[in-house]
Amino acid sequence: MLTRPTAILLLSAAPVLAQQTDITIGMVLEPPNLDPTGGAAAAIDEVVYANLFEGLTRFGPDGTIQPALARSWDVSEDGTIWTFDLAEGVTFHDGTSFDADDVVFALDRARAEESTNAQKALFEGIETVEAVDATTVRLTLSAPNGNLPFNLAWGDAVIVAPESADTNATNPVGTGPFRFAEWVQGDRVELVANPDYWGDAPALQQATFKFISDPNAAFAAMMAGDVDAFPNFPAPETLANFEADPRFDVIVGSTEGETILGMNNANLSPELRQAISYAVDRQEIIDGAMFGYGTPIGTHFAPHNPDYVDLTEKSAHDPDRARALLAEIGEVPTLRLMLPPPSYARRGGEIVASQLREVGIETQIENLEWAQWLEQVFRGKDFDLTIVSHTEPADINIYARPDYYFQYDSAAFQALMDQIGSTADPVMRSQLLQDAQRMIADDYVNAYLFQLAKTGVANAQIEGLWENAPTQANDLTAVRWTQ
């Protein structure tokens, strides 16, 4: 028989289970490349934002703007000169040093005339970017812009180095807490912890982003433990299974994703766009495609934003009114409905096609892979209708770009956006943003469907995943296993 001290000694010598330091994250879409400054696909940021690449500022999980490579900043009294103080001791993953010259290079590259940056409008109004010294950068604007720290927090504004910028698409080199390890195309991207990271070290040592587009396969992978978390889970109809299983947490939050029936304004008249908007039954789409997850919207603005105006009644489901408008228009040709891979688009597209058919509009559905959609619809503007969720934060300004894929060209709206950009007073800005929402609703630019919910599933022992999505990101900087 063991004496009490001996028993205590033996028990204390028992092996302690080490905390898990690797994670596998499920994603529906594979990114077309890994350079957030050279592509519009949300899947790029879902892998690299805050993990591999960092900007001067960043979005926090609650949507606040937080310091990143810029630890602090000041603005002149007239609002046109912004001075950023940079973090010290920062290196890129390839060992090259980070300093003010890299910021000058990255921002000048992003705003250059030949830039392929998908969000060049973020940098409009920046007249010069200067390195005051190694750790200080000065941005001079042509007019005051209180949104500058917000704009610089986007994935499109991350800082890249001249030594590696041209190869970031396939071999990304940033300053973040994780380094790129491997990309097995069609399957996964692997990251490893950056041992030389300048900030707080992450708890995770390895992260794998696994691409699973099929909802049934996503469900099976979670149930089998092949995937530890699926922050944007593609099968909301199965969430009840996970809620009933103590192994999992179901995480439901909001996103910046305005999901729209995008309409090519160059092909479709205002009257036809209005008829299409009346034909659409938002709640039927939310129930049928999203199994009840989603908030109806009547304009391109997030309902959780304090400046949101509920304009859903302006384009409420009214098939009789749609038919009356169509009778005035006359014969309408079959419209091409181009659908990208996400389930909200494929499922929603079938429902929309049925709703349009009920009022006399025929559609031809074409299912496109993501690269095809970007090439044909987003860049080529070769479509009539499409369904896509715009997950960029507070992006109503895209309606001020006549060459944007839905080709809305309104001088009045463009002037309104210019006025918002130069207005610092919060009360006035709020009023102008509400005016902007009403203007695009009045013009029936697109049919506004719903705000995409963030429905995620994770192993119950994981903490630190974002509940909401203020930008498209799977930020792993605060993620850890609790056991």
Side-chain angles (χ1 to χ4, degrees):
M1 181 176 178
L2 293 173
T3 64
R4 183 175 178 84
T6 306
I8 293 173
L9 179 63
L10 288 177
L11 287 172
S12 66
V16 177
L17 293 177
Q19 188 178 47
Q20 187 170 341
T21 59
D22 65 290
I23 195 169
T24 299
I25 301 288
M27 287 177 52
V28 173
L29 298 177
E30 179 174 14
N33 66 70
L34 296 174
D35 179 6
T37 70
I44 301 173
D45 278 352
E46 287 179 11
V47 173
V48 305
Y49 186 88
N51 298 325
L52 281 170
F53 289 104
E54 299 172 301
L56 292 180
T57 59
R58 57 158 290 163
F59 291 104
D62 59 353
T64 57
I65 304 302
Q66 301 178 352
L69 289 173
R71 306 314 295 158
S72 62
W73 51 89
D74 296 302
V75 60
S76 62
E77 286 189 12
D78 67 358
T80 62
I81 299 176
W82 292 73
T83 304
F84 293 87
D85 296 319
L86 305 180
E88 299 185 39
V90 179
T91 58
F92 287 92
H93 299 150
D94 60 0
T96 57
S97 61
F98 161 83
D99 59 24
D101 289 335
D102 295 300
V103 177
V104 174
F105 167 79
L107 296 184
D108 280 350
R109 174 177 176 266
R111 67 194 186 92
E113 185 176 346
E114 67 277 10
S115 168
T116 59
N117 194 294
Q119 301 293 340
K120 286 178 67 173
L122 294 172
F123 313 102
E124 290 178 357
I126 298 178
E127 286 193 338
T128 60
V129 185
E130 304 170 85
V132 177
D133 55 42
T135 60
T136 311
V137 172
R138 179 189 299 127
L139 273 63
T140 301
L141 311 184
S142 57
N145 183 2
N147 273 341
L148 185 64
F150 172 88
N151 292 350
L152 295 177
W154 285 47
D156 308 81
V158 297
I159 304 304
V160 298
E163 295 87 351
S164 50
D166 291 342
T167 56
N168 277 335
T170 55
N171 182 32
V173 174
T175 59
F178 294 91
R179 293 187 290 109
F180 173 70
E182 185 179 18
W183 183 3
V184 180
Q185 296 202 0
D187 185 46
R188 66 190 187 277
V189 167
E190 296 181 4
L191 310 181
V192 294
N194 174 16
D196 302 316
Y197 184 54
W198 62 274
D200 294 333
L204 298 173
Q205 290 298 303
Q206 183 173 348
T208 300
F209 292 91
K210 182 80 172 175
F211 310 123
I212 307 174
S213 60
D214 179 72
N216 293 326
F219 175 78
M222 280 299 310
M223 280 293 183
D226 296 332
V227 171
D228 300 312
F230 219 121
N232 294 289
F233 191 65
E237 69 276 17
T238 65
L239 289 177
N241 299 74
F242 294 105
E243 288 175 330
D245 191 327
R247 295 178 299 160
F248 302 103
D249 282 336
V250 173
I251 308 166
V252 179
S254 64
T255 77
E256 290 293 321
E258 291 83 21
T259 307
I260 66 172
L261 175 63
M263 298 191 270
N264 191 334
N265 284 226
N267 294 355
L268 310 184
S269 68
E271 295 78 16
L272 179 53
R273 300 197 305 268
Q274 188 174 1
I276 290 171
S277 297
Y278 290 143
V280 168
D281 185 339
R282 297 181 180 95
Q283 195 59 51
E284 184 180 8
I285 297 168
I286 293 170
D287 292 341
M290 302 304 297
F291 300 88
Y293 293 97
T295 304
I297 55 173
T299 187
H300 198 110
F301 217 75
H304 56 256
N305 191 300
D307 297 323
Y308 175 72
V309 181
D310 185 355
L311 299 171
T312 49
E313 283 303 309
K314 184 164 191 61
S315 52
H317 181 52
D318 192 339
D320 289 338
R321 194 169 179 185
R323 293 186 190 98
L325 279 167
L326 291 169
E328 297 176 10
I329 294 170
E331 184 176 355
V332 175
T334 298
L335 302 180
R336 298 168 302 151
L337 175 55
M338 312 296 206
L339 302 175
S343 56
Y344 68 76
R346 297 284 172 88
R347 291 170 174 164
E350 296 288 345
I351 298 169
V352 166
S354 175
Q355 293 173 349
L356 295 181
R357 190 179 307 115
E358 287 180 10
V359 301
I361 300 174
E362 294 297 327
T363 61
Q364 175 187 334
I365 290 179
E366 295 185 34
N367 290 331
L368 304 179
E369 293 307 310
W370 194 246
Q372 292 176 287
W373 187 91
L374 288 169
E375 185 62 32
Q376 183 170 345
V377 177
F378 188 77
R379 285 189 285 267
K381 308 174 184 66
D382 180 13
F383 76 106
D384 296 315
L385 304 170
T386 189
I387 295 179
V388 68
S389 187
H390 285 257
T391 55
E392 296 83 5
D395 62 346
I396 195 171
N397 64 332
I398 59 178
Y399 289 77
R401 306 180 200 171
D403 61 346
Y404 205 65
Y405 76 93
F406 43 71
Q407 300 188 88
Y408 172 60
D409 190 357
S410 167
F413 189 87
Q414 292 157 27
L416 183 56
M417 283 294 105
D418 288 341
Q419 188 178 359
I420 290 171
S422 60
T423 300
D425 179 70
V427 175
M428 180 60 69
R429 282 182 61 84
S430 179
Q431 182 59 57
L432 293 172
L433 285 168
Q434 293 177 8
D435 291 345
Q437 294 171 60
R438 293 188 180 94
M439 188 178 295
I440 61 173
D442 288 342
D443 287 347
Y444 296 92
V445 182
N446 295 305
Y448 303 101
L449 305 180
F450 59 89
Q451 197 74 15
L452 190 67
K454 189 175 191 295
T455 53
V457 181
N459 186 301
Q461 296 178 4
I462 295 172
E463 65 179 18
L465 292 168
W466 283 10
E467 176 181 334
N468 301 313
T471 191
Q472 54 263 46
N474 291 312
D475 178 358
L476 300 180
T477 56
V479 173
R480 66 182 63 242
W481 292 85
T482 58
Q483 295 184 29

